[in-house]
Amino acid sequence: MMGLPRKPDGISGEEVEKYYRDGRIRDIAEYCESDVVNAYPLWLRYELFRGRLTDAGFQESEACLIEFIEARASINPDRSPVP
């Protein structure tokens, strides 16, 4: 699979409260989205190993994730996938 999106620059989990107080909700959303997008392939593999997802289903889901990452990167080049 292609590289996964990197975490947004300038924010870490310990700064989320400060970002919230400063009204930087979009930055928090991007930070959380990166966690979800990075965890999804792990969950897919887990479901594949459990037998709840076929190889074809795994590949299709992974392809959809790549499409999502590429679409988001085309909208905002600063959020491009890590090589």
Side-chain angles (χ1 to χ4, degrees):
M1 187 173 128
M2 293 176 46
L4 297 173
R6 64 179 183 259
K7 296 295 254 175
D9 293 332
I11 185 171
S12 69
E14 58 194 35
E15 297 173 303
V16 170
E17 181 181 354
K18 178 187 180 313
Y19 273 51
Y20 176 77
R21 286 193 313 264
D22 293 345
R24 296 178 65 181
I25 305 304
R26 171 162 275 150
D27 292 323
I28 295 169
E30 288 179 5
Y31 177 81
C32 292
E33 179 183 280
S34 70
D35 283 342
V36 171
V37 169
N38 285 308
Y40 184 63
L42 299 174
W43 178 79
L44 288 175
R45 187 154 304 273
Y46 172 74
E47 291 298 302
L48 178 65
F49 288 150
R50 288 184 67 200
R52 299 182 92 182
L53 189 62
T54 65
D55 281 333
F58 175 80
Q59 291 173 9
E60 183 179 338
S61 296
E62 206 169 47
C64 288
L65 177 60
I66 290 168
E67 288 176 22
F68 173 80
I69 292 168
E70 289 175 343
R72 296 292 281 185
S74 70
I75 293 169
N76 183 352
D78 292 337
R79 298 179 67 203
S80 62
V82 174

